[in-house]
Amino acid sequence: QVQLVESGGGLVQAGDSLRLSCAASGRTFSSYTLGWLRQAPGKEREFVAAISWDGGVIVYEDSVKGRFTISRDNAKNMVYLQMGSLKSEDTAVYYCAADTQYLKHGVSWDYWGQGTQVTVSS
């Protein structure tokens, strides 16, 4: 089992950058695919990015390609989402998630964090 705690959210202006962090606990952290998802007000939760346990597979949602970078540090049990060129439409609660499936995307994940709010003002 994996417990996930996000941090790093906040209020930024359009065009700014922000890095989200997710601290994970659990003995088998390094064997999980990790991902970030988000949910904007009044909208369904959507997939943002995922990285396989070995970093060999990275997937992004089309709207964040070239702006967001997902990475992980298995030695520190951390996963990150570096967000750049932020837009107002990136405003959402961002969730860290973990799953045992190697090639993972979509919104159905095994484990979830509580979320961190990102607000981008225009």
Side-chain angles (χ1 to χ4, degrees):
Q1 192 167 357
V2 177
Q3 291 80 43
L4 305 166
V5 179
E6 305 92 336
S7 62
L11 173 63
V12 297
Q13 294 189 342
D16 284 353
S17 297
L18 195 65
R19 189 176 83 156
L20 304 182
S21 300
C22 176
S25 60
R27 293 181 297 173
T28 58
F29 167 83
S30 61
S31 65
Y32 286 88
T33 291
L34 299 173
W36 289 94
L37 296 93
R38 66 186 180 186
Q39 188 165 18
K43 295 187 177 181
E44 294 187 350
R45 194 167 296 185
E46 67 172 355
F47 171 81
V48 176
I51 183 168
S52 61
W53 67 268
D54 58 357
V57 177
I58 294 176
V59 182
Y60 294 101
E61 193 269 331
D62 286 346
S63 70
V64 307
K65 285 181 180 177
R67 299 191 299 122
F68 291 11
T69 302
I70 188 172
S71 62
R72 66 188 292 165
D73 185 337
N74 287 342
K76 296 181 178 180
N77 281 13
M78 297 290 294
V79 60
Y80 306 99
L81 185 67
Q82 179 68 48
M83 304 185 292
S85 301
L86 283 162
K87 307 174 182 179
S88 58
E89 51 262 46
D90 295 318
T91 295
V93 176
Y94 283 72
Y95 298 90
C96 178
D99 199 280
T100 56
Q101 186 174 337
Y102 184 72
L103 296 176
K104 184 66 182 178
H105 54 84
V107 297
S108 179
W109 289 68
D110 292 337
Y111 303 102
W112 293 85
Q114 293 300 307
T116 185
Q117 176 71 47
V118 173
T119 303
V120 184
S121 66
S122 56

